[in-house]
Amino acid sequence: QLLEELQDGFRALGLGWIPSKGNFIAVDFGRDAAPINQALLQAGVIVRPVAGYGMPTFLRVSIGTEPENARFLEALEQILRG
């Protein structure tokens, strides 16, 4: 259910992702993800860039608790919507 919350949030924001069965998910922003990562850090949200793995448009997001996922998605929406 927690993974589905993130997927629903990504879908609502028009983002793609790599299907996951683990404790993280890779979300695709369709553009350089480094500025998004920096903005999330400034908002106090830590995710992992994966550009070093040849995926510069993706960020690796650990699946958190319901409140943690909600905080991440709220911050992400504010960043993407400007």
Side-chain angles (χ1 to χ4, degrees):
Q1 177 182 349
L2 295 171
L3 173 61
E4 291 172 8
E5 289 174 4
L6 290 177
Q7 292 172 336
D8 289 345
F10 298 153
R11 190 175 294 110
L13 293 170
L15 301 172
W17 62 89
I18 298 173
S20 176
K21 299 224 185 266
N23 66 344
F24 67 89
I25 189 166
V27 59
D28 186 2
F29 294 94
R31 58 186 161 131
D32 182 16
I36 297 165
N37 181 49
Q38 287 301 313
L40 285 168
L41 286 172
Q42 290 176 347
V45 177
I46 300 172
V47 296
R48 178 174 289 181
V50 288
Y53 294 95
M55 301 168 64
T57 65
F58 286 81
L59 291 175
R60 180 186 185 269
V61 179
S62 294
I63 298 165
T65 64
E66 189 172 333
E68 290 168 339
N69 287 344
R71 184 171 188 286
F72 161 69
L73 289 170
E74 288 169 12
L76 183 61
E77 181 175 10
Q78 288 180 1
I79 290 162
L80 295 179
R81 302 220 190 270

